[in-house]
Amino acid sequence: MEWVKDQIAKENVGEQVRLIDCRFVLGQPEIGKQDYRKEHLPGAFHFDLDQDLASSVQTHGGRHPLPDLEKFAELLGETGIDDTLTVVAYDDQGGMMASRLWWMLHYLGHPKVYVMDGGFSQWKGNGYPVTRELPAPVKKRTFRIRLQRDAVVPMEEVKAKLGKAGTVLIDSREEKRYLGIEEPIDRVAGHIPGAVNYFWKESLNPEGFWKTVDEQKKRFQDLNPADEVIVYCGSGVSACPNILALKQAGFPNVRLYAGSWSDWITYPENPVANGKEQ
């Protein structure tokens, strides 16, 4: 956060760093954009989860399918982002939405992307500058896709690896949803058989900041870093902060099941644990 504040103070910050406001409230899709228009970090552009970081819902693919990658690359270019620019994403949801952008940029081969620790409320609470002024148009750049295909796992591969040694499946939702006790969003409760539960918010400390490397390592101490780790959640969004935390903890082979639970249950033949219709 201090680094971001220092960058904003520089006259040529827009030539080196691009700030992206990712605020979005699930179930209230207009709130994030409204909050952005009221105030945001100086120079920040806004990316919307539904409109920019996901595509429309189909029969399969989950509630937040990945967007058309060519269109997303075009959006990045229009925002002045290419492989020379550092991207800093922030939100006000504990890093969940910002981590989605972090993961997507890594998936497209752009490693110079970070999530601002603490988020918007912490930033404003520190008395750091905010504005309602929209950023000036920037010079369009060309974003070159260098797709990291191994970063994502299709449903068929997840199913084929259930119970196989060398692969760990992580469910990132809160425990009540994982156990099938309650399911406020999807039509079926429960989890993918064999998955272990690591709620994504456990990536944060009680003050809402990201845990240290040692704390993340302790959190995942029951997992083997040599294993392949496949992470999912409800729709492929809150899995992303867990992927960030796993990478921070030194796990080299971490992949996203992008469709996640909301995709898994669209295949009637797929097994579920603790499953029940809602």
Side-chain angles (χ1 to χ4, degrees), residues 107-128:
Y107 180 44
L108 268 59
H110 185 73
K112 296 168 64 175
V113 54
Y114 303 91
V115 173
M116 188 181 77
D117 196 11
F120 182 80
S121 289
Q122 297 279 7
W123 173 276
K124 187 177 178 181
N126 285 349
Y128 295 164

